Structure formats: structure tokens, C-alpha cells
Amino acid sequence: MARTLSEIYHAAKLCRDERLELSEVKNDSKMSIMDAFTWIVSASIWTFENLLDVFQTDIAKDIQGRINGTPTYYAKALLKYQSGDTLQMSEDGTSFSYPIVDESKRVVTKVSYAEVQETGFYDKKLIFKLATGEPGKYERLSNDELIAVRGYLRQIAFAGTHLEAVSRKGDILIPRVTVYHDGAITEDELYTNIETALHTFIENADFNGVIYAQKIIDAIQSAEHVLDVYINPESDSQGIFVAQYDDDDNLIPTAFDDGGNVTSYEQRVTRSFVPNSGYLKESSGTGNEAGLEKWRSAMIFVVEQ
């Protein structure tokens, strides 16, 4: 940041006064020739420093807007993907774009990225998590759409970069807690309040952000007529649990019996976790999620005496 003219003048005057060869022409008058030269030089330095500030700002804008292959560049580009359209190269051969921008064809609504070390490569690999839909209603991209997005990413990727795009089914939230309430409303009405609170929490959670178990408990606690949310510390079955999917749409096993058979797909959240998909959802209770409890069946409702 440029210094003020006074700051530059005083610094120049101190430097000038340190030189013995100038002591003979030293004059304390502000109208002296030496002071006049000092002011002129100071003004020139001040002008130059301000020009550098302007130049620095312009350079920063150019760097921010240029095609530079940064993670942010790829993330923004993925949000601009248009389903079914073909990219065209610019006349100067430096970028790709769609001939017509049609936001109704943009299916990728959320993107996050992480850098991981890839075996056999010096540079790190960029993994992008993608989702479609609106906050609170995120979904996995269809297989055909995900294949098309990966092709789009390969087309815009810089040579030598290692990129991967994934889109997974939502992490299934299973809140096994005991809910104490005042009994002023029916259990159905109470659950509706809790369900609304949990959906609001999921909607407001950052995509691929850290989810804290206590925040989930706080969300349930915030529902009207709820007095307390309790997790029995002596019970292995109570707590905040999640079940996660892999890239092949299979639930990830978390426990096995002595014969190697899967006994559970759930993992207990001790304090916090980052969703494998980037977002949370409730169990559908069907298909491969049939064994995973929906929110209501996972909770125990007790009227406070």
C-alpha cells in the first residue's frame, strides 16, 4: 500500500540529513532549495507507489479471471456445465465455452473439491464432489449425466492434471436419541416439529462441510415442545449415526461377523464428520436402505414427568 506524501517526505529528509556532504547546505527553512528538491522527489515517489497499487489491483483481477487451472477455476467451470450441449473452442484457442448460455441446462448445483496425494504422481489429484438439486434436497447425478460431466471435465482440463468427479447418494442420518417433551401436543405433531427442524438444519448445512453431532442434537432440541434430547452413555445403540455410500452406489460396511459377513453399515459419530457425499438425508426405508431406520423410528419419545 502506498505511503502518504508526508511519510515519504519525512523518510527522505531523515536520509538526507544523515549524509555529511549535505550538511553545508542544510537549511531548516521550508522554502529552501534543498527542501524544495526533497518535496519534488517525495512527490515523484508517492506517484510511483500509487501507480504500483493500481497496477497490483489490475494484475490481481487478471489473475483471478484468467484460465489458470486452479481448483476454483474447475469448480466454477463444473457449475457452468450444460447438459446435452457441445463445448466450442474460442478463436484464440485458449478456452472452451458454450455458443449459447442456457442456465436451464445446468444440472450441477453444488461442487466441492479436495486435494489428495496420488500414488505414482508428484502432483496431487483433485477430487470434485458434485450434487444436483436445491439445498435440503440434493441428489446424486444420474450415471449418464455423471459420465457426460467427466467428459466435459477432461475436455477443459490442462495437460498433466489429474482430476476426478464423483457424485454419491446422500449420507443417511440416523438420530437414535431419547426426546423428552411436555406432552402438550400429540406425538405426531411433536415429530412434525422435529422433522421440520432437522430438514432446516440439513438445508442450512454447508455442502461438504463439517457436521457436528451436537449441532444435530441442538436442531432436535430447538423443535417446539421438546424439553430435552438425551443419549444414554451406557447404550451402544443410542447416539448420532450415519451410513454412507461409495462411488458404486453401495453402502459402505462398518462391521463384520466372524464369517466375514456384513453386520452393519452404520457408524457412530463421536464428535464430527464430513459427509462422504457432501450432504445428509433421511433413510428411504426401501431397497438397500430398508435396514436403516427412518428418523421417527430411531427416536424414543418420553413425556417429562
Side-chain angles (χ1 to χ4, degrees):
M1 182 176 178
R3 295 171 293 174
T4 65
L5 181 57
S6 295
E7 289 174 337
I8 296 172
Y9 169 76
H10 288 301
K13 190 172 183 298
L14 288 173
C15 184
R16 182 196 73 189
D17 292 345
E18 290 176 358
R19 302 185 66 88
L20 295 175
E21 60 268 29
L22 297 177
S23 60
E24 294 182 2
V25 292
K26 183 177 179 180
N27 189 324
D28 293 333
S29 173
K30 292 185 178 180
M31 302 300 292
S32 69
I33 294 177
M34 187 58 68
D35 257 6
F37 278 124
T38 304
W39 275 110
I40 292 171
V41 172
S42 299
S44 300
I45 294 173
W46 176 82
T47 303
F48 178 69
E49 289 188 1
N50 276 274
L51 286 174
L52 286 180
D53 278 355
V54 174
F55 180 70
Q56 185 179 18
T57 302
D58 291 342
I59 289 295
K61 289 180 179 178
D62 289 341
I63 291 175
Q64 187 69 22
R66 75 186 178 99
I67 302 172
N68 48 20
T70 62
T72 303
Y73 160 72
Y74 288 119
K76 290 181 178 179
L78 284 166
L79 290 171
K80 295 178 181 178
Y81 163 75
Q82 294 183 187
S83 179
D85 287 352
T86 303
L87 281 174
Q88 292 184 359
M89 183 177 286
S90 61
E91 293 182 0
D92 58 7
T94 60
S95 64
F96 288 95
S97 61
Y98 291 108
I100 299 176
V101 176
D102 187 349
E103 295 190 5
S104 65
K105 294 183 178 181
R106 293 180 176 176
V107 296
V108 179
T109 56
K110 273 296 177 182
V111 179
S112 70
Y113 62 84
E115 292 182 299
V116 298
Q117 191 64 53
E118 190 176 13
T119 304
F121 292 92
Y122 177 78
D123 293 329
K124 291 183 178 180
K125 180 180 183 179
L126 273 175
I127 298 180
F128 295 91
K129 286 184 185 179
L130 314 178
T132 186
E134 301 175 354
K137 298 179 181 179
Y138 291 130
E139 295 180 355
R140 177 190 184 277
L141 271 68
S142 67
N143 289 332
D144 291 341
E145 207 68 81
L146 184 56
I147 290 172
V149 170
R150 286 171 175 168
Y152 166 85
L153 190 59
R154 285 194 298 270
Q155 191 172 2
I156 66 173
F158 283 65
T161 55
H162 301 276
L163 311 173
E164 182 180 352
V166 299
S167 186
R168 301 168 181 142
K169 291 183 178 180
D171 290 32
I172 300 167
L173 173 64
I174 308 170
R176 292 203 184 95
V177 296
T178 301
V179 179
Y180 290 88
H181 60 101
D182 58 17
I185 56 176
T186 66
E187 194 172 289
D188 288 341
E189 292 172 318
L190 177 69
Y191 173 71
T192 299
N193 293 343
I194 294 173
E195 184 181 39
T196 300
L198 284 173
H199 279 303
T200 300
F201 169 78
I202 291 174
E203 182 177 344
N204 293 331
D206 292 335
F207 183 76
N208 205 43
V210 178
I211 303 294
Y212 294 95
Q214 186 59 50
K215 295 293 185 181
I216 297 172
I217 295 171
D218 291 345
I220 300 173
Q221 179 76 61
S222 69
E224 192 174 2
H225 297 288
V226 173
L227 300 178
D228 187 28
V229 180
Y230 178 70
I231 296 176
N232 186 351
E234 299 179 358
S235 173
D236 292 333
S237 62
Q238 279 212 318
I240 304 299
F241 294 83
V242 292
Q244 300 177 321
Y245 282 93
D246 60 19
D247 293 337
D248 297 320
D249 294 342
N250 297 316
L251 286 168
I252 301 173
T254 57
F256 303 84
D257 60 19
D258 294 337
N261 299 310
V262 178
T263 58
S264 178
Y265 294 101
E266 302 171 10
Q267 61 174 314
R268 188 188 189 113
V269 180
T270 54
R271 180 173 175 269
S272 64
F273 74 104
V274 176
N276 201 38
S277 62
Y279 59 100
L280 297 175
K281 73 182 189 87
E282 183 181 7
S283 170
S284 65
T286 61
N288 55 358
E289 297 179 12
L292 301 175
E293 292 173 300
K294 296 174 73 71
W295 291 343
R296 181 162 186 168
S297 59
M299 299 179 191
I300 299 173
F301 299 101
V302 178
V303 177
E304 185 73 88
Q305 299 298 325

